[in-house]
Amino acid sequence: MIDLKKTANKIIVSPSILSADFSNLENEIKTVSTNGAKWVHIDVMDGHFVPNITIGAPVVKSLRKITGAILDVHLMIENPDKYIPDFLQAGSDVITFHIEASGKKTLKCIEMIKKADKIAGISIKPKTRVKEIEPYLPLIDLVLVMTVEPGFSGQIFMPKCAQKIYEIKNLKPDIKYIQVDGGINDKTGEKCKQMGANCLVAGNYIFKSENRAMAIKSLLK
Ligand code: DX5
Ligand code: ZN
């Protein structure tokens, strides 16, 4: 298992398996984790919070058996407090839920994840302001800034969303991880890193690339 402390404050690439070949996930993960990606991003969608359905805790549990990579679970679901225990049980290392979905249960969600000694993250959709998560910043280690509307891979990066990185950095300069997700490639990733992001999620850019190793390398630069 990778020591999370060693990956803090360095650039982290978290390939989103939503763009991978689901019939061959073990190999797909190997092609990225043997080429510089220490995290693997798992997009969980429920068809309610976002208009798409993907995978659930049983898949995370299976992936836990075949990889030592950090399992970075992005919950795009309603009522995250109800499902976080399943995802902890399944072996997730990082659990990020959406503030738009957690509402009054936000604190409960954070506490559950931290009690299990895992990394707690909160994500904000493009139209959600940083102000919404400000009260929780002292309690969490990761903020995920969505740079597309959540729901699908392969969308175009929204530069305006990335401005939020500055705000977060300002409010919590020592935050461990500022993650960006949606339309990340070498150019958009570079912009986000310059603004202060240190964890880049990328789906299509990595998995649809002819040279995944090079794609990951270009993000790590
Ligand atoms: C979108 C997901 C992303 C998506 C990224 O809702 O949260 O993780 O898979 O895919 P790309 O990098 O192709 O935009
Ligand atoms: Zn995601």
Side-chain angles (χ1 to χ4, degrees), residues 16 18-19 41 43 45 74 76 146 148-155 181-184 201-205:
S16 163
L18 194 56
S19 300
H41 188 81
D43 288 303
M45 305 187 189
H74 178 191
M76 284 161 276
M146 287 305 299
V148 298
E149 280 298 339
F152 301 92
S153 57
Q155 301 183 74
D181 184 7
I184 298 298
V201 174
N204 272 17
Y205 181 65

Side-chain angles (χ1 to χ4, degrees), residues 17-29 55 59 63:
I17 59 165
L18 194 56
S19 300
D21 175 359
F22 271 37
S23 69
N24 200 2
L25 276 183
E26 180 171 4
N27 263 321
E28 291 286 84
I29 290 175
I55 55 182
V59 175
L63 296 181

